[in-house]
Amino acid sequence: MDTEDNCTECFHDFPELKKLVDHRGLKFLHLNVCSLLPKVEEIRLLFGHYKGFGLISVTETHLSFNVSDREISINGYTLYRRDRQSHSKGGGVVV
């Protein structure tokens, strides 16, 4: 199996991502925010101004189960998150 076949398998569950990579290239943004909730409006403004990121990752979100997806959502993006474990000082990821 060559690399191209492996790539096709990788994108099997993510057809929208494959379309982005095939047709326009993939624009990726990573932010280490050190607490997302107080900065979410500023980040929404940033994404409103700089459109076109296919994938965004945010680390050190410091979120927990009591923060809903709706509170941190960004129009036009699907949210996947892994919150920090209870009693943890840092951590948390949103993609």
Side-chain angles (χ1 to χ4, degrees), residues 34-95:
C34 194
S35 192
L36 176 60
L37 199 54
K39 299 171 183 140
V40 75
E41 287 303 320
E42 182 179 354
I43 290 171
R44 285 180 181 140
L45 288 172
L46 174 73
F47 294 145
H49 184 18
Y50 297 103
K51 298 178 185 195
F53 291 106
L55 184 64
I56 300 167
S57 69
V58 182
T59 54
E60 295 299 327
T61 61
H62 298 187
L63 297 175
S64 61
F65 70 91
N66 60 351
V67 177
S68 72
D69 287 353
R70 189 170 185 229
E71 291 178 81
I72 59 170
S73 67
I74 297 173
N75 287 336
Y77 291 92
T78 302
L79 179 72
Y80 302 95
R81 64 191 263 193
R82 173 75 177 186
D83 295 341
R84 62 184 177 171
Q85 302 298 313
S86 61
H87 309 300
S88 171
K89 284 187 155 191
V93 176
V94 173
V95 177

Side-chain angles (χ1 to χ4, degrees), residues 2-37:
D2 65 20
T3 306
E4 188 172 325
D5 289 338
N6 288 335
C7 240
T8 302
E9 281 185 32
C10 293
F11 289 123
H12 181 264
D13 293 329
F14 306 99
E16 291 177 17
L17 181 59
K18 180 170 179 14
K19 188 168 102 176
L20 281 171
V21 172
D22 286 348
H23 297 286
R24 298 185 306 191
L26 178 63
K27 293 182 182 177
F28 178 81
L29 175 69
H30 172 77
L31 299 170
N32 185 326
V33 296
C34 194
S35 192
L36 176 60
L37 199 54

